[in-house]
Amino acid sequence: TELLSLAYNLPETIVKLQDDKAYLNVKDSALLVLAELGLSLEDGVYTSMKVANANINSRDDAKLYLQILLAFFQDIVNYNLQGRLLLPSFDDTTAKLSRVIKNPLTAIKVIIEAMTRIESNVNLNLLLDHVMIHIVKETSYGK
């Protein structure tokens, strides 16, 4: 429910969606990609292209996926500043990501730009690939 509260404000909606198959696929995909990123940036990109592309089937799914990624990258900033985390139950994942991601602010910018493009007529798989490649390229190599 912690992840659903990022996207929805109504408790009834959160309770209703917590067992929704589409939500669970998006959540599991995002958490797997983030876990892989925490271990290896290259594996994170590969997992994103493989798993996210298979499980993100609609614009709503893509929005939720990007909201989850955004929350984690915001938490990397908070973690580095020793601030309060948005997702405290995922602090271990955030700690691993903070050791690998050098510039989370660039990642936040890329994710927000992608969220605005979802409403356009874009190919979701290409958009998600673009996000992950730019996150890895710009946050790890400073380009």
Side-chain angles (χ1 to χ4, degrees):
T1 59
E2 196 174 32
L3 294 172
L4 276 171
S5 67
L6 298 170
Y8 303 100
N9 293 328
L10 299 173
E12 301 84 28
T13 304
I14 293 171
V15 169
K16 185 176 103 178
L17 290 176
Q18 69 186 4
D19 294 323
D20 182 70
K21 185 178 178 182
Y23 161 70
L24 293 172
N25 281 335
V26 171
K27 178 189 88 162
D28 292 344
S29 297
L31 293 176
L32 180 60
V33 167
L34 290 163
E36 289 292 320
L37 272 177
L39 299 173
S40 161
L41 294 173
E42 292 77 16
D43 288 347
V45 171
Y46 174 75
T47 301
S48 174
M49 290 180 172
K50 181 179 168 192
V51 174
N53 286 348
N55 292 319
I56 308 299
N57 300 313
S58 71
R59 296 196 188 295
D60 288 338
D61 290 351
K63 285 180 194 176
L64 181 58
Y65 178 80
L66 290 172
Q67 285 175 324
I68 292 170
L69 294 183
L70 180 63
F72 273 92
F73 282 93
Q74 289 172 324
D75 269 357
I76 293 169
V77 173
N78 293 336
Y79 182 87
N80 290 338
L81 297 173
Q82 298 176 346
R84 186 169 166 244
L85 300 180
L86 297 170
L87 303 168
S89 63
F90 295 99
D91 62 339
D92 186 48
T93 301
T94 302
K96 288 177 184 173
L97 286 166
S98 72
R99 290 190 285 273
V100 176
I101 303 296
K102 306 293 186 227
N103 186 358
L105 294 176
T106 303
I108 290 170
K109 178 183 170 227
V110 169
I111 294 167
I112 291 171
E113 288 171 355
M115 291 173 82
T116 62
R117 289 186 185 141
I118 287 177
E119 296 307 320
S120 304
N121 192 18
V122 297
N123 181 306
L124 294 177
N125 291 339
L126 290 177
L127 180 66
L128 297 178
D129 290 350
H130 168 81
V131 166
M132 194 55 56
I133 290 168
H134 277 336
I135 285 173
V136 169
K137 180 181 141 194
E138 294 183 23
T139 63
S140 63
Y141 304 113
K143 296 181 182 177

